[in-house]
């Protein structure tokens, strides 16, 4: 009886180990950084851009929507460049230290309109962002339309 119990117990431990063994070596997905919204983000030293996206109605013109966090403790400026060659456009944004959170594109008085023939809803559009003397970075911003209720008021 003891031998049968020992075999059953051993077999149970072996099966449990084999079944759960793959979780010991599996990569844990929630440790990978990702953007938890429709937009994308980037951090440049003490300025972080969060949830950057373009909202368009039919392409061509789009509203750049993003939240910028200035953690430097001082007023600073950020340069946003889009387009290439002769069509390149540059905007300089003043980021106050207080409040440290600046929202762009969320109301008609703070919209940054990007004009380019290659803006198409459902695609990606490259935008170059630089803060102060820090090395800038190009991000591919998703282009959305006003189909969803939360974006319909953000269409230029």
């Amino acid at each position: 009886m003891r031998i049968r119990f020992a075999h059953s117990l051993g077999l149970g431990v072996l099966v449990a180990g084999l079944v759960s063994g793959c979780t010991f070596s599996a990569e844990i997905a929630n440790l990978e950084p990702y953007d938890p919204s429709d937009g994308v983000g980037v951090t440049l030293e003490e300025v972080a851009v969060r949830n950057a996206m373009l909202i368009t109605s039919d392409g061509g013109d789009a509203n750049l929507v993003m939240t910028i966090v200035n953690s430097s403790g001082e007023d600073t400026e950020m340069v946003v460049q889009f387009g290439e060659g002769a069509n390149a456009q540059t905007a300089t944004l003043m980021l106050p230290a207080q409040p440290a959170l600046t929202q762009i594109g969320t109301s008609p008085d703070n919209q940054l309109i990007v004009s380019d023939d290659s803006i198409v809803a459902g695609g990606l559009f490259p935008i170059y962002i630089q803060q102060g003397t820090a090395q800038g970075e190009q991000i591919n911003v998703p282009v959305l339309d006003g189909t969803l209720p939360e974006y319909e008021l953000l269409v230029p």
Side-chain angles (χ1 to χ4, degrees):
M1 183 79 146
R2 288 184 183 183
I3 293 176
R4 234 196 238 162
F5 178 72
H7 285 317
S8 297
L9 182 63
L11 184 60
V13 169
L14 179 65
V15 169
L18 290 175
V19 171
S20 65
C22 61
T23 60
F24 292 120
S25 64
E27 187 173 330
I28 301 171
N30 63 356
L31 294 178
E32 296 295 320
Y34 70 98
D35 292 305
S37 186
D38 293 331
V40 294
V42 64
T43 301
L44 305 170
E45 291 188 1
E46 296 177 329
V47 172
V49 175
R50 298 291 179 248
N51 202 27
M53 66 182 93
L54 287 166
I55 309 293
T56 187
S57 60
D58 57 2
D61 290 337
N63 177 20
L64 179 61
V65 178
M66 61 184 166
T67 300
I68 306 165
V69 181
N70 178 8
S71 60
S72 69
E74 300 176 5
D75 293 351
T76 188
E77 64 181 42
M78 186 176 83
V79 175
V80 179
Q81 185 176 23
F82 39 88
E84 296 178 352
N87 295 332
Q89 302 169 52
T90 302
T92 302
L93 305 174
M94 294 306 299
L95 306 175
Q98 295 298 327
L101 189 71
T102 303
Q103 293 191 334
I104 303 296
T106 55
S107 68
D109 61 328
N110 72 358
Q111 287 187 347
L112 180 58
I113 304 300
V114 178
S115 297
D116 195 290
D117 292 335
S118 63
I119 294 175
V120 178
L124 297 173
F125 187 78
I127 292 182
Y128 180 79
I129 297 176
Q130 181 184 13
Q131 180 259 326
T133 58
Q135 176 69 32
E137 192 167 328
Q138 180 174 311
I139 57 175
N140 290 319
V141 178
V143 182
L144 306 170
D145 62 11
T147 303
L148 296 174
E150 57 266 28
Y151 299 138
E152 67 184 350
L153 297 177
L154 301 176
V155 174

